[in-house]
Structure formats: structure tokens, C-alpha cells
Amino acid sequence: MRGSRGQFLFASAPDSWGVLDYPGPSWDQSYEIMLDEMAGAGYTGTELGPYGFFPTDPEILQPQLAKRKLELLGSFVPVKMGDPAARTAVLERIRKVGKLLAILKAPFLVMADDQSPERNAFSGRTHDPGCPTLSAEQWRHVGKVVADAERVASEFGLDLVFHPHVATYVETPEECERFFDAASHTNIGLCLDTGHCVYGQGDSVREAEKYKNKLRLVHVKDCNAKVLEEARGNKWTFEEAIEHRVFTIIGQGDIDFSTFFRTLAKNGYSGWSVVEQDVKFGDTAIAPAENVATSLKYLQGVVSKLDRAWVAS
């Protein structure tokens, strides 16, 4: 294991302020104050969030990032992967976001399946009878869409990574395996989200080990196991679970981040971890600025322990 100092870089993201994927009240908050709070907490990077929340004019956004010494990492782009009729719209969306990311020299485009009502009804319970799945034909289409998306992303010099996500058709470890089988002819990497992994009945350490050669970006969430158990028992949608605060300040939930980051270090992972917490806008237990600051302080402590262990060895 090499030293972790400089190996792990931490970024923030707008969803910790309750910014949803589509315009609404959460988009009315000041992005400049948000960037101030990220930088003030000690973060050195941010994701774009949903296209349109931050200014889409790079001549406006780039100076805002630069004066706070924040790097732009990429953008989360959910698309309808299993729908052949959506192919044109999928590629147009990736191209639109990719153009902005390229101008701002962001390295990643984070692709995910779009949430759907039929899968949201089985969030965290995909093994229950009646849960819909993709057909063999749809999986073949997924492989084609990923190849098309990779070509578009490469036009902009972007690294395409895939994010398994709750309430989509690629939520569980088994579905993640099926995805990478379907996309085996591409070089798409993995963006592992610790919170979504646990919600989807996975183990983030096990997934980090399994995909150590594909893991190129990490999203850090913590999860309250008791609330997640209630969510499954009450058959809550993903949004209902978020309202009940299934995700917590990092370090105050039940994910073992010491083992997780030790696994990343052992496998030579080097780069960004995006600290985020899906929350309901305007209904947070503490202010988002305090949330992200406390989370970062905890993770810096985890990394410092790895440093001390490395020096001792």
C-alpha cells in the first residue's frame, strides 16, 4: 500500500444542497454562495450537477470556479439506456453536456440509467416478485448506446464512466455485472457510489475490489441502515427514503469508510472522491454547508489514519 497523501482528492456536488435533476425551487438558490461554501469547507473540486443549474456559459462559470480554486470534474448525465426510441435524444444530451465539460477541461462524463416510476416502486427491493427488468434485446441495446456514448465522449476528450443508481434498471451488483457484460466491447469505467451501492443491496468494499481495474471515480455517501430497512419494509420510493434521511453526514451512518478507503489504497486507486448526500431541498437536519464541512473533516481523518499506517509499515 502506498501513502494516501495526495492520492485521494475530495470534491463536492450540488445535490448536497438539494439540487434536483430538473428545474424547480432547488434551482433558485445561489450557485455562487454554494461554491463559496464548498471552497470554505476545504473542497478542491466540484461536479457540474444537472445541466443548467450552474451557468452553461463557460465564460461565466470558469472565472467563478477559478477564483475559488475549484476544479470541475464532470457531470451526472442520466439517460434512457434501454429505450431504442430514445437513442437520438440520449446522444444529443451527452453531446450538449460534453461540449461544456470539454471547454472547462473537466475529465469525466458520468452516465447513468434514468430513473423510472416502475423501478422506483421497487427501490432497494429489486428481488421482490414483480420487479421489472430489462429484456435480452434491451440489454443488447444498452451495449450499443454505451458504444455510441463513448464515441461522443471521446470527441470531447472525456472519460466515460457509469454510475449504478437506485430506482433505475441498473441498481444491484447483479445488474451492474450485466451492464459491464453488455458494454464489454467498450472502455467505459465505473463510478462507484457507496450509498447507492448499499441501497441496491451491495457492499461497496466488495464492489471496489471486484471492479478495481474499472474504477475511475468515486461518489461518497453514507447510509443509515435502520432507515434503509424501514424504506424496504414500508416500500418507500427513493424520494420518500431521502425525505426520511436515509443518507447521513459522512461518518454518521453505517458504511465502513476506513475499510473502503484502505481497499482503494491497496488497489492503487488515485484521484477524486465526490462527497455528496441526496437530501430534500429545504428540509435538511443541518445546513448543507455544515454537512459538507463535517463530512470532509471526517474523511480527511480516515485518510490521515491510512497515512500513519503506511508510514508505520
Side-chain angles (χ1 to χ4, degrees):
M1 183 189 301
R2 59 176 167 165
S4 59
R5 191 176 303 281
Q7 183 176 359
F8 297 117
L9 305 171
F10 292 105
S12 190
D15 61 350
S16 288
W17 281 258
V19 176
L20 300 176
D21 288 340
Y22 301 99
S26 66
W27 285 37
D28 294 335
Q29 59 188 309
S30 167
Y31 80 90
E32 292 163 294
I33 292 176
M34 183 183 298
L35 293 177
D36 285 339
E37 292 176 344
M38 289 180 186
Y43 291 94
T44 54
T46 180
E47 283 197 352
L48 185 69
Y51 185 88
F53 172 68
F54 285 157
T56 56
D57 182 344
E59 293 188 5
I60 295 175
L61 182 55
Q62 180 57 47
Q64 294 288 344
L65 295 171
K67 74 179 183 178
R68 297 171 176 86
K69 298 181 180 180
L70 290 170
E71 292 187 40
L72 183 67
L73 302 189
S75 181
F76 177 75
V77 185
V79 296
K80 297 183 183 298
M81 294 194 312
D83 183 3
R87 178 181 178 275
T88 299
V90 166
L91 297 182
E92 287 178 350
R93 185 172 187 185
I94 290 174
R95 185 168 283 109
K96 178 176 67 174
V97 178
K99 182 179 180 180
L100 176 61
L101 294 178
I103 293 173
L104 295 173
K105 302 186 185 306
F108 296 106
L109 192 147
V110 184
M111 181 180 181
D113 189 28
D114 205 359
Q115 288 187 214
S116 61
E118 63 272 15
R119 282 293 297 230
N120 201 1
F122 287 87
S123 291
R125 301 179 296 104
T126 57
H127 299 300
D128 284 5
C131 180
T133 60
L134 295 181
S135 67
E137 182 178 353
Q138 286 175 306
W139 277 115
R140 285 192 291 272
H141 178 70
V142 168
K144 295 176 183 178
V145 166
V146 172
D148 288 340
E150 186 176 52
R151 282 193 290 272
V152 174
S154 66
E155 292 175 10
F156 298 106
L158 297 168
D159 188 2
L160 184 68
V161 294
F162 179 72
H163 184 315
H165 198 286
V166 176
T168 75
Y169 281 95
V170 189
E171 175 179 315
T172 68
E174 296 83 5
E175 289 165 340
C176 188
E177 289 182 9
R178 188 73 185 267
F179 170 84
F180 279 107
D181 284 344
S184 60
H185 56 300
T186 74
N187 189 43
I188 191 169
L190 174 66
C191 172
L192 176 59
D193 186 304
T194 57
H196 283 265
C197 179
V198 170
Y199 204 120
Q201 303 181 47
D203 181 288
S204 53
V205 172
R206 188 176 299 124
E207 295 301 287
E209 183 68 32
K210 182 195 305 182
Y211 294 104
K212 60 185 177 183
N213 295 323
K214 292 183 179 293
L215 184 58
R216 302 208 283 266
L217 184 63
V218 171
H219 281 187
V220 178
K221 289 187 183 70
D222 207 348
C223 188
N224 184 315
K226 182 178 179 181
V227 176
L228 179 55
E229 183 180 0
E230 291 177 359
R232 290 175 177 148
N234 294 326
K235 299 183 178 181
W236 290 339
T237 64
F238 186 43
E239 290 75 18
E240 287 172 328
I242 289 172
E243 290 178 7
H244 285 83
R245 297 170 184 164
V246 68
F247 297 122
T248 72
I249 295 172
I250 310 301
Q252 296 184 12
D254 295 283
I255 294 179
D256 182 357
F257 285 106
S258 294
T259 301
F260 179 72
F261 277 93
R262 186 163 59 249
T263 300
L264 296 185
K266 173 180 69 71
N267 291 334
Y269 178 85
S270 180
W272 290 98
S273 295
V274 183
V275 180
E276 53 180 26
Q277 179 185 349
D278 291 343
V279 296
K280 181 180 179 181
F281 175 67
D283 186 30
T284 54
I286 65 170
E290 182 181 346
N291 181 329
V292 298
T294 303
S295 294
L296 180 58
K297 184 176 181 180
Y298 170 81
L299 289 171
Q300 288 171 333
V302 169
V303 170
S304 293
K305 288 180 181 179
L306 288 179
D307 282 334
R308 291 195 292 272
W310 177 74
V311 170
S313 65

